[in-house]
Amino acid sequence: MTTVLVLNGPNLGRLGRRQPEIYGTTTHAELVDLCRSWGRDLGLEVEVLQTNHEGVLLDELNRAADDALPVVLNAAAWTHYSWAIFDACAQLVAPLVEVHISDPGQRPEEFRHTSVVTPHASRVIAGQGIDGYRQALATIAGLLGGSGTHSGS
Ligand code: DQA
């Protein structure tokens, strides 16, 4: 079964408590369970990691490059300015889908309107709430050529 990394950047560990009017009430622990369950339905083994430490995210992206693993990435605020994450995404060889719970492009802060991830992403899903992660996993399953159903292999 293909392993997919779902990588979440800073402050996303506080989902459910962090500005619920923007990010909703689902906690990160609940998001982990949902991603694993959506992955099972798609025939994907999903590993979810959240970190507030940029180097940890870079290590995971480097692992994804080395092991040719598909990635669902919500780099959170790093999306908007981390050239190290830009460089790490450039090395990925399997599909990369960028996810944001909110739609940064529609938010008032100018700094949110730039993404260092988008140039390397097969698809960007923004403003779909937590369901964006399900859509991202389904996109990866599709890009990998699966039927979207569990193959059991
Ligand atoms: C976010 C949007 C970013 O602008 C913000 O810094 C985040 C979360 C989102 O999921 O909507 O931390 O990536």
Side-chain angles (χ1 to χ4, degrees):
M1 204 186 288
T2 303
T3 298
V4 179
L5 301 185
V6 175
L7 304 177
N8 286 321
N11 297 303
L12 293 170
R14 299 195 70 261
L15 279 179
R17 290 169 289 166
R18 175 193 183 191
Q19 296 174 284
E21 70 283 7
I22 296 174
Y23 299 109
T25 53
T26 303
T27 66
H28 193 270
E30 290 166 343
L31 175 63
V32 171
D33 288 345
L34 284 167
C35 285
R36 289 197 184 128
S37 157
W38 289 326
R40 266 194 303 277
D41 291 346
L42 292 161
L44 303 171
E45 173 83 36
V46 176
E47 288 182 29
V48 187
L49 176 119
Q50 187 278 325
T51 181
N52 290 334
H53 304 278
E54 192 177 356
V56 173
L57 184 63
L58 292 169
D59 287 345
E60 288 299 310
L61 288 169
N62 288 172
R63 175 164 79 99
D66 286 342
D67 296 349
L69 302 177
V71 173
V72 173
L73 177 60
N74 184 346
W78 291 326
T79 303
H80 310 305
Y81 66 88
S82 171
W83 297 116
I85 288 175
F86 175 92
D87 283 347
C89 289
Q91 299 169 57
L92 297 174
V93 291
L96 166 67
V97 177
E98 177 179 2
V99 170
H100 300 283
I101 297 165
S102 67
D103 184 349
Q106 298 300 315
R107 292 177 63 178
E109 299 95 345
E110 193 72 30
F111 77 86
R112 294 189 204 279
H113 300 172
T114 297
S115 168
V116 302
V117 178
T118 298
H120 306 298
S122 298
R123 188 177 169 199
V124 181
I125 299 169
Q128 301 295 306
I130 292 299
D131 192 62
Y133 289 85
R134 185 190 59 74
Q135 295 175 36
L137 289 167
T139 298
I140 284 184
L143 289 169
L144 294 175
S147 62
T149 55
H150 191 336
S151 67
S153 58

